[in-house]
Amino acid sequence: MTLRSTVLASRPGLVRLAEMPFYPGGGGQLPDLGVLAWSGGTVAVEGFESIDCQLWIRLQHPVELTGEVEAQVDPAFRQTMRELHTDLHILNALVFQAFDGALVTGVQMNADATARIDFDLPDADNDRLRALEPAINDAIRQDLPVRETYLPLDDAYDEKGLLRSRSVTPPPTTDGLIRIIEIAGLDRQACGGTHLVSTGASRPVRILKIDNKGRHNRRMRIGLAG
Protein backbone atom coordinates (compact mmCIF):
# COMPACT_ATOMS: atom_id res chain seq x y z
CA MET A 1 0.00 0.00 0.00
CA THR A 2 1.45 3.36 -1.09
CA LEU A 3 0.13 6.87 -0.51
CA ARG A 4 1.46 10.29 -1.49
CA SER A 5 1.02 12.84 1.26
CA THR A 6 2.18 16.29 2.39
CA VAL A 7 4.32 17.02 5.42
CA LEU A 8 2.37 19.11 7.93
CA ALA A 9 5.11 19.34 10.54
CA SER A 10 8.59 17.95 11.03
CA ARG A 11 11.17 17.55 13.77
CA PRO A 12 14.45 15.60 13.73
CA GLY A 13 13.32 11.96 13.53
CA LEU A 14 9.62 12.82 13.61
CA VAL A 15 7.08 13.83 10.98
CA ARG A 16 3.34 14.49 10.83
CA LEU A 17 1.58 13.92 7.50
CA ALA A 18 -1.71 15.17 6.10
CA GLU A 19 -2.63 11.52 5.41
CA MET A 20 -0.89 8.22 6.04
CA PRO A 21 -1.59 4.58 5.16
CA PHE A 22 0.01 3.14 8.31
CA TYR A 23 -1.85 1.40 11.12
CA PRO A 24 -0.25 2.83 14.31
CA GLY A 25 -0.95 -0.23 16.44
CA GLY A 26 -3.47 -0.93 19.17
CA GLY A 27 -5.80 -3.61 20.46
CA GLY A 28 -2.97 -6.13 20.52
CA GLN A 29 -1.96 -5.51 16.90
CA LEU A 30 1.58 -4.33 16.17
CA PRO A 31 2.08 -1.06 14.27
CA ASP A 32 2.83 -1.21 10.56
CA LEU A 33 6.34 -1.26 9.20
CA GLY A 34 7.29 0.75 6.11
CA VAL A 35 9.32 3.57 4.61
CA LEU A 36 8.90 7.21 3.63
CA ALA A 37 10.44 8.40 0.37
CA TRP A 38 11.02 12.13 -0.21
CA SER A 39 13.32 14.38 -2.20
CA GLY A 40 16.23 13.60 0.14
CA GLY A 41 15.99 9.81 -0.08
CA THR A 42 14.17 7.18 1.97
CA VAL A 43 13.90 6.49 5.69
CA ALA A 44 12.34 3.59 7.56
CA VAL A 45 9.32 4.06 9.81
CA GLU A 46 10.26 3.03 13.35
CA GLY A 47 7.00 3.68 15.19
CA PHE A 48 4.34 6.24 16.09
CA GLU A 49 3.87 8.77 18.87
CA SER A 50 0.96 10.86 20.05
CA ILE A 51 2.16 14.40 20.76
CA ASP A 52 -0.37 17.06 21.78
CA CYS A 53 -3.18 14.77 20.55
CA GLN A 54 -1.58 14.52 17.09
CA LEU A 55 -0.17 11.33 15.61
CA TRP A 56 3.49 11.59 14.55
CA ILE A 57 5.60 9.06 12.68
CA ARG A 58 8.90 8.20 14.37
CA LEU A 59 11.72 7.73 11.86
CA GLN A 60 14.76 5.48 12.02
CA HIS A 61 17.15 8.42 11.54
CA PRO A 62 16.98 12.04 12.82
CA VAL A 63 16.15 13.57 9.44
CA GLU A 64 13.65 16.38 8.88
CA LEU A 65 11.26 15.84 5.99
CA THR A 66 9.62 18.60 3.95
CA GLY A 67 7.26 18.88 1.01
CA GLU A 68 5.60 15.79 -0.42
CA VAL A 69 6.45 12.23 0.60
CA GLU A 70 5.50 8.75 -0.56
CA ALA A 71 4.49 6.49 2.33
CA GLN A 72 4.92 2.78 1.67
CA VAL A 73 3.51 0.09 3.98
CA ASP A 74 5.50 -3.15 4.26
CA PRO A 75 3.05 -5.51 2.49
CA ALA A 76 4.29 -8.80 3.96
CA PHE A 77 4.11 -7.55 7.55
CA ARG A 78 0.65 -6.00 7.01
CA GLN A 79 -0.57 -9.29 5.48
CA THR A 80 0.61 -11.27 8.50
CA MET A 81 -1.18 -8.88 10.87
CA ARG A 82 -4.35 -9.05 8.75
CA GLU A 83 -4.31 -12.84 8.80
CA LEU A 84 -3.70 -13.10 12.54
CA HIS A 85 -6.32 -10.48 13.34
CA THR A 86 -8.98 -12.08 11.15
CA ASP A 87 -8.20 -15.54 12.53
CA LEU A 88 -8.45 -14.25 16.09
CA HIS A 89 -11.93 -12.97 15.22
CA ILE A 90 -12.84 -16.46 14.00
CA LEU A 91 -11.53 -18.04 17.20
CA ASN A 92 -13.22 -15.36 19.30
CA ALA A 93 -16.55 -16.07 17.59
CA LEU A 94 -16.28 -19.82 18.14
CA VAL A 95 -15.40 -19.42 21.83
CA PHE A 96 -18.15 -16.85 22.32
CA GLN A 97 -20.71 -19.25 20.83
CA ALA A 98 -19.49 -22.42 22.54
CA PHE A 99 -18.70 -21.04 26.00
CA ASP A 100 -21.70 -18.88 26.91
CA GLY A 101 -20.46 -15.51 25.70
CA ALA A 102 -16.97 -15.67 27.22
CA LEU A 103 -15.23 -12.28 26.99
CA VAL A 104 -11.69 -11.47 25.90
CA THR A 105 -9.26 -10.28 28.57
CA GLY A 106 -6.17 -9.73 26.40
CA VAL A 107 -4.72 -10.09 22.89
CA GLN A 108 -1.24 -9.88 21.38
CA MET A 109 -0.16 -10.46 17.76
CA ASN A 110 3.49 -11.12 17.00
CA ALA A 111 5.81 -10.56 14.05
CA ASP A 112 6.64 -14.30 13.94
CA ALA A 113 3.09 -15.09 12.72
CA THR A 114 1.86 -16.22 16.13
CA ALA A 115 -0.68 -14.64 18.46
CA ARG A 116 -2.29 -15.21 21.81
CA ILE A 117 -5.76 -14.41 23.05
CA ASP A 118 -6.96 -14.64 26.66
CA PHE A 119 -10.53 -15.47 27.60
CA ASP A 120 -12.42 -15.21 30.88
CA LEU A 121 -13.10 -18.95 31.16
CA PRO A 122 -12.88 -20.08 34.80
CA ASP A 123 -14.26 -23.59 34.21
CA ALA A 124 -13.24 -24.30 30.63
CA ASP A 125 -12.10 -27.70 29.47
CA ASN A 126 -8.85 -27.15 27.59
CA ASP A 127 -9.53 -30.16 25.36
CA ARG A 128 -12.74 -28.50 24.18
CA LEU A 129 -10.76 -25.39 23.32
CA ARG A 130 -8.14 -27.40 21.40
CA ALA A 131 -10.95 -29.09 19.47
CA LEU A 132 -11.86 -25.72 17.87
CA GLU A 133 -8.90 -25.89 15.45
CA PRO A 134 -10.81 -27.72 12.66
CA ALA A 135 -13.66 -25.20 12.89
CA ILE A 136 -11.21 -22.29 12.56
CA ASN A 137 -9.73 -23.79 9.41
CA ASP A 138 -13.17 -24.65 8.05
CA ALA A 139 -14.11 -20.96 8.31
CA ILE A 140 -10.90 -20.11 6.43
CA ARG A 141 -11.68 -22.64 3.68
CA GLN A 142 -15.19 -21.23 3.26
CA ASP A 143 -13.63 -17.91 2.21
CA LEU A 144 -16.23 -15.87 4.09
CA PRO A 145 -16.44 -12.16 3.18
CA VAL A 146 -15.18 -9.71 5.82
CA ARG A 147 -16.91 -6.31 5.85
CA GLU A 148 -16.77 -3.13 7.91
CA THR A 149 -19.61 -0.84 8.93
CA TYR A 150 -20.07 1.88 11.56
CA LEU A 151 -22.59 2.27 14.38
CA PRO A 152 -23.29 5.03 16.90
CA LEU A 153 -21.53 4.27 20.17
CA ASP A 154 -24.79 3.94 22.14
CA ASP A 155 -26.14 1.43 19.61
CA ALA A 156 -22.94 -0.61 19.88
CA TYR A 157 -23.42 -0.88 23.65
CA ASP A 158 -27.04 -1.92 23.17
CA GLU A 159 -26.30 -4.78 20.76
CA LYS A 160 -25.42 -7.91 22.72
CA GLY A 161 -22.11 -9.48 21.78
CA LEU A 162 -20.82 -6.54 19.79
CA LEU A 163 -18.28 -5.52 22.45
CA ARG A 164 -16.28 -8.62 23.35
CA SER A 165 -13.43 -7.26 25.46
CA ARG A 166 -13.79 -7.10 29.22
CA SER A 167 -11.68 -3.95 29.48
CA VAL A 168 -11.13 -2.29 26.07
CA THR A 169 -13.50 -0.60 23.63
CA PRO A 170 -12.29 0.58 20.21
CA PRO A 171 -12.07 4.39 20.18
CA PRO A 172 -14.98 6.09 18.40
CA THR A 173 -14.52 8.28 15.36
CA THR A 174 -14.71 12.06 15.74
CA ASP A 175 -18.44 11.88 15.03
CA GLY A 176 -19.08 9.22 17.70
CA LEU A 177 -19.20 6.06 15.58
CA ILE A 178 -17.74 2.63 16.36
CA ARG A 179 -16.23 0.49 13.61
CA ILE A 180 -17.83 -2.95 13.27
CA ILE A 181 -16.12 -5.93 11.59
CA GLU A 182 -18.42 -8.64 10.27
CA ILE A 183 -17.39 -12.07 9.02
CA ALA A 184 -20.39 -13.16 6.96
CA GLY A 185 -22.52 -15.72 8.77
CA LEU A 186 -20.06 -16.12 11.64
CA ASP A 187 -19.14 -13.03 13.60
CA ARG A 188 -19.92 -9.38 14.19
CA GLN A 189 -17.98 -7.28 16.69
CA ALA A 190 -16.41 -3.88 17.28
CA CYS A 191 -12.76 -3.61 16.26
CA GLY A 192 -10.30 -0.97 15.08
CA GLY A 193 -7.55 -3.08 13.49
CA THR A 194 -6.74 -4.33 9.99
CA HIS A 195 -8.36 -7.46 8.54
CA LEU A 196 -8.52 -9.56 5.40
CA VAL A 197 -11.14 -8.95 2.71
CA SER A 198 -12.20 -12.58 3.11
CA THR A 199 -11.17 -15.43 5.39
CA GLY A 200 -9.77 -17.53 2.51
CA ALA A 201 -6.80 -15.16 2.21
CA SER A 202 -5.40 -16.60 5.44
CA ARG A 203 -3.01 -19.48 5.77
CA PRO A 204 -4.27 -22.42 7.89
CA VAL A 205 -4.10 -21.97 11.65
CA ARG A 206 -2.71 -24.23 14.36
CA ILE A 207 -3.58 -24.01 18.03
CA LEU A 208 -0.10 -24.13 19.56
CA LYS A 209 -0.76 -24.10 23.27
CA ILE A 210 -3.38 -23.43 25.93
CA ASP A 211 -2.33 -22.12 29.35
CA ASN A 212 -4.26 -21.51 32.54
CA LYS A 213 -3.38 -17.95 33.54
CA GLY A 214 -4.87 -17.46 36.97
CA ARG A 215 -8.24 -18.61 38.16
CA HIS A 216 -10.23 -17.15 35.27
CA ASN A 217 -7.98 -16.71 32.23
CA ARG A 218 -7.35 -19.28 29.50
CA ARG A 219 -4.59 -18.21 27.12
CA MET A 220 -4.79 -19.68 23.63
CA ARG A 221 -1.73 -19.41 21.38
CA ILE A 222 -2.18 -19.79 17.64
CA GLY A 223 0.18 -19.74 14.69
CA LEU A 224 -0.09 -19.46 10.91
CA ALA A 225 0.96 -22.66 9.16
CA GLY A 226 3.72 -22.60 6.57
PDB file of all heavy atoms in Angstrom, residues 25 32-33 46-47 50 67-68 77 84 94 114 138 156 168 176 194 204 215:
ATOM      1  N   GLY A  25      -0.939   0.759  15.375  1.00  0.00           N
ATOM      2  CA  GLY A  25      -0.951  -0.232  16.442  1.00  0.00           C
ATOM      3  C   GLY A  25      -2.070   0.007  17.434  1.00  0.00           C
ATOM      4  O   GLY A  25      -2.633   1.098  17.529  1.00  0.00           O
ATOM      5  N   ASP A  32       2.274  -0.902  11.874  1.00  0.00           N
ATOM      6  CA  ASP A  32       2.830  -1.208  10.561  1.00  0.00           C
ATOM      7  C   ASP A  32       4.315  -0.880  10.489  1.00  0.00           C
ATOM      8  O   ASP A  32       4.813   0.034  11.153  1.00  0.00           O
ATOM      9  CB  ASP A  32       2.112  -0.388   9.483  1.00  0.00           C
ATOM     10  CG  ASP A  32       0.834  -1.052   8.992  1.00  0.00           C
ATOM     11  OD1 ASP A  32       0.751  -2.294   9.028  1.00  0.00           O
ATOM     12  OD2 ASP A  32      -0.072  -0.319   8.557  1.00  0.00           O
ATOM     13  N   LEU A  33       5.002  -1.605   9.624  1.00  0.00           N
ATOM     14  CA  LEU A  33       6.345  -1.259   9.199  1.00  0.00           C
ATOM     15  C   LEU A  33       6.255  -0.599   7.823  1.00  0.00           C
ATOM     16  O   LEU A  33       5.255  -0.747   7.115  1.00  0.00           O
ATOM     17  CB  LEU A  33       7.217  -2.511   9.096  1.00  0.00           C
ATOM     18  CG  LEU A  33       7.349  -3.371  10.353  1.00  0.00           C
ATOM     19  CD1 LEU A  33       8.184  -4.604  10.046  1.00  0.00           C
ATOM     20  CD2 LEU A  33       7.938  -2.569  11.497  1.00  0.00           C
ATOM     21  N   GLU A  46       9.876   3.778  12.153  1.00  0.00           N
ATOM     22  CA  GLU A  46      10.263   3.033  13.353  1.00  0.00           C
ATOM     23  C   GLU A  46       9.125   2.891  14.348  1.00  0.00           C
ATOM     24  O   GLU A  46       9.144   2.013  15.207  1.00  0.00           O
ATOM     25  CB  GLU A  46      11.455   3.723  14.019  1.00  0.00           C
ATOM     26  CG  GLU A  46      12.172   2.852  15.033  1.00  0.00           C
ATOM     27  CD  GLU A  46      13.471   3.499  15.493  1.00  0.00           C
ATOM     28  OE1 GLU A  46      13.397   4.518  16.198  1.00  0.00           O
ATOM     29  OE2 GLU A  46      14.542   2.998  15.104  1.00  0.00           O
ATOM     30  N   GLY A  47       8.122   3.751  14.257  1.00  0.00           N
ATOM     31  CA  GLY A  47       7.004   3.678  15.193  1.00  0.00           C
ATOM     32  C   GLY A  47       6.148   4.932  15.097  1.00  0.00           C
ATOM     33  O   GLY A  47       6.271   5.720  14.151  1.00  0.00           O
ATOM     34  N   SER A  50       2.000   9.836  19.913  1.00  0.00           N
ATOM     35  CA  SER A  50       0.964  10.856  20.049  1.00  0.00           C
ATOM     36  C   SER A  50       1.559  12.035  20.818  1.00  0.00           C
ATOM     37  O   SER A  50       1.976  11.890  21.970  1.00  0.00           O
ATOM     38  CB  SER A  50      -0.253  10.299  20.794  1.00  0.00           C
ATOM     39  OG  SER A  50      -1.240  11.296  20.943  1.00  0.00           O
ATOM     40  N   GLY A  67       7.916  19.027   2.311  1.00  0.00           N
ATOM     41  CA  GLY A  67       7.256  18.881   1.011  1.00  0.00           C
ATOM     42  C   GLY A  67       6.360  17.659   0.940  1.00  0.00           C
ATOM     43  O   GLY A  67       5.645  17.331   1.885  1.00  0.00           O
ATOM     44  N   GLU A  68       6.442  16.958  -0.187  1.00  0.00           N
ATOM     45  CA  GLU A  68       5.598  15.789  -0.417  1.00  0.00           C
ATOM     46  C   GLU A  68       6.420  14.518  -0.213  1.00  0.00           C
ATOM     47  O   GLU A  68       7.595  14.457  -0.562  1.00  0.00           O
ATOM     48  CB  GLU A  68       5.033  15.808  -1.847  1.00  0.00           C
ATOM     49  CG  GLU A  68       3.969  14.743  -2.094  1.00  0.00           C
ATOM     50  CD  GLU A  68       3.353  14.859  -3.475  1.00  0.00           C
ATOM     51  OE1 GLU A  68       4.058  14.624  -4.467  1.00  0.00           O
ATOM     52  OE2 GLU A  68       2.156  15.199  -3.552  1.00  0.00           O
ATOM     53  N   PHE A  77       4.425  -7.702   6.131  1.00  0.00           N
ATOM     54  CA  PHE A  77       4.105  -7.549   7.550  1.00  0.00           C
ATOM     55  C   PHE A  77       2.622  -7.239   7.729  1.00  0.00           C
ATOM     56  O   PHE A  77       1.955  -7.826   8.594  1.00  0.00           O
ATOM     57  CB  PHE A  77       4.955  -6.438   8.156  1.00  0.00           C
ATOM     58  CG  PHE A  77       4.776  -6.283   9.640  1.00  0.00           C
ATOM     59  CD1 PHE A  77       5.468  -7.101  10.516  1.00  0.00           C
ATOM     60  CD2 PHE A  77       3.913  -5.336  10.150  1.00  0.00           C
ATOM     61  CE1 PHE A  77       5.301  -6.966  11.895  1.00  0.00           C
ATOM     62  CE2 PHE A  77       3.736  -5.193  11.518  1.00  0.00           C
ATOM     63  CZ  PHE A  77       4.440  -6.010  12.388  1.00  0.00           C
ATOM     64  N   LEU A  84      -3.569 -12.806  11.109  1.00  0.00           N
ATOM     65  CA  LEU A  84      -3.701 -13.095  12.537  1.00  0.00           C
ATOM     66  C   LEU A  84      -4.946 -12.442  13.118  1.00  0.00           C
ATOM     67  O   LEU A  84      -5.686 -13.069  13.890  1.00  0.00           O
ATOM     68  CB  LEU A  84      -2.463 -12.614  13.284  1.00  0.00           C
ATOM     69  CG  LEU A  84      -1.178 -13.417  13.083  1.00  0.00           C
ATOM     70  CD1 LEU A  84      -0.007 -12.708  13.740  1.00  0.00           C
ATOM     71  CD2 LEU A  84      -1.305 -14.843  13.625  1.00  0.00           C
ATOM     72  N   LEU A  94     -16.007 -18.432  17.769  1.00  0.00           N
ATOM     73  CA  LEU A  94     -16.275 -19.824  18.145  1.00  0.00           C
ATOM     74  C   LEU A  94     -16.313 -19.995  19.657  1.00  0.00           C
ATOM     75  O   LEU A  94     -17.163 -20.720  20.190  1.00  0.00           O
ATOM     76  CB  LEU A  94     -15.204 -20.723  17.526  1.00  0.00           C
ATOM     77  CG  LEU A  94     -15.197 -20.771  15.991  1.00  0.00           C
ATOM     78  CD1 LEU A  94     -13.971 -21.543  15.497  1.00  0.00           C
ATOM     79  CD2 LEU A  94     -16.469 -21.406  15.447  1.00  0.00           C
ATOM     80  N   THR A 114       2.598 -15.591  15.044  1.00  0.00           N
ATOM     81  CA  THR A 114       1.856 -16.218  16.134  1.00  0.00           C
ATOM     82  C   THR A 114       1.065 -15.140  16.866  1.00  0.00           C
ATOM     83  O   THR A 114       1.323 -13.939  16.714  1.00  0.00           O
ATOM     84  CB  THR A 114       2.787 -16.930  17.134  1.00  0.00           C
ATOM     85  OG1 THR A 114       3.590 -15.945  17.821  1.00  0.00           O
ATOM     86  CG2 THR A 114       3.674 -17.939  16.438  1.00  0.00           C
ATOM     87  N   ASP A 138     -11.993 -24.535   8.912  1.00  0.00           N
ATOM     88  CA  ASP A 138     -13.165 -24.650   8.051  1.00  0.00           C
ATOM     89  C   ASP A 138     -13.683 -23.268   7.662  1.00  0.00           C
ATOM     90  O   ASP A 138     -14.060 -23.041   6.506  1.00  0.00           O
ATOM     91  CB  ASP A 138     -14.260 -25.450   8.755  1.00  0.00           C
ATOM     92  CG  ASP A 138     -15.473 -25.669   7.866  1.00  0.00           C
ATOM     93  OD1 ASP A 138     -15.314 -26.265   6.776  1.00  0.00           O
ATOM     94  OD2 ASP A 138     -16.575 -25.226   8.240  1.00  0.00           O
ATOM     95  N   ALA A 156     -23.908   0.479  19.713  1.00  0.00           N
ATOM     96  CA  ALA A 156     -22.945  -0.609  19.882  1.00  0.00           C
ATOM     97  C   ALA A 156     -23.051  -1.214  21.287  1.00  0.00           C
ATOM     98  O   ALA A 156     -22.965  -2.432  21.456  1.00  0.00           O
ATOM     99  CB  ALA A 156     -21.528  -0.105  19.626  1.00  0.00           C
ATOM    100  N   VAL A 168     -11.504  -3.240  27.118  1.00  0.00           N
ATOM    101  CA  VAL A 168     -11.130  -2.292  26.070  1.00  0.00           C
ATOM    102  C   VAL A 168     -12.261  -2.147  25.068  1.00  0.00           C
ATOM    103  O   VAL A 168     -12.848  -3.130  24.633  1.00  0.00           O
ATOM    104  CB  VAL A 168      -9.843  -2.748  25.339  1.00  0.00           C
ATOM    105  CG1 VAL A 168      -9.487  -1.779  24.224  1.00  0.00           C
ATOM    106  CG2 VAL A 168      -8.698  -2.874  26.324  1.00  0.00           C
ATOM    107  N   GLY A 176     -18.440  10.100  16.733  1.00  0.00           N
ATOM    108  CA  GLY A 176     -19.081   9.217  17.704  1.00  0.00           C
ATOM    109  C   GLY A 176     -19.508   7.864  17.181  1.00  0.00           C
ATOM    110  O   GLY A 176     -20.417   7.241  17.751  1.00  0.00           O
ATOM    111  N   THR A 194      -6.701  -3.996  11.412  1.00  0.00           N
ATOM    112  CA  THR A 194      -6.736  -4.330   9.994  1.00  0.00           C
ATOM    113  C   THR A 194      -7.110  -5.802   9.841  1.00  0.00           C
ATOM    114  O   THR A 194      -6.735  -6.645  10.665  1.00  0.00           O
ATOM    115  CB  THR A 194      -5.372  -4.068   9.320  1.00  0.00           C
ATOM    116  OG1 THR A 194      -4.398  -4.966   9.859  1.00  0.00           O
ATOM    117  CG2 THR A 194      -4.922  -2.638   9.545  1.00  0.00           C
ATOM    118  N   PRO A 204      -3.667 -21.622   6.815  1.00  0.00           N
ATOM    119  CA  PRO A 204      -4.275 -22.418   7.886  1.00  0.00           C
ATOM    120  C   PRO A 204      -3.703 -22.033   9.252  1.00  0.00           C
ATOM    121  O   PRO A 204      -2.596 -21.497   9.357  1.00  0.00           O
ATOM    122  CB  PRO A 204      -3.914 -23.856   7.512  1.00  0.00           C
ATOM    123  CG  PRO A 204      -3.642 -23.819   6.049  1.00  0.00           C
ATOM    124  CD  PRO A 204      -3.051 -22.457   5.779  1.00  0.00           C
ATOM    125  N   ARG A 215      -7.006 -17.864  37.924  1.00  0.00           N
ATOM    126  CA  ARG A 215      -8.242 -18.610  38.159  1.00  0.00           C
ATOM    127  C   ARG A 215      -9.194 -18.517  36.984  1.00  0.00           C
ATOM    128  O   ARG A 215      -9.903 -19.479  36.670  1.00  0.00           O
ATOM    129  CB  ARG A 215      -8.921 -18.076  39.425  1.00  0.00           C
ATOM    130  CG  ARG A 215     -10.215 -18.795  39.760  1.00  0.00           C
ATOM    131  CD  ARG A 215     -10.849 -18.247  41.021  1.00  0.00           C
ATOM    132  NE  ARG A 215     -12.133 -18.860  41.280  1.00  0.00           N
ATOM    133  CZ  ARG A 215     -12.952 -18.505  42.266  1.00  0.00           C
ATOM    134  NH1 ARG A 215     -12.580 -17.529  43.084  1.00  0.00           N
ATOM    135  NH2 ARG A 215     -14.111 -19.099  42.433  1.00  0.00           N
TER     136      ARG A 215
END
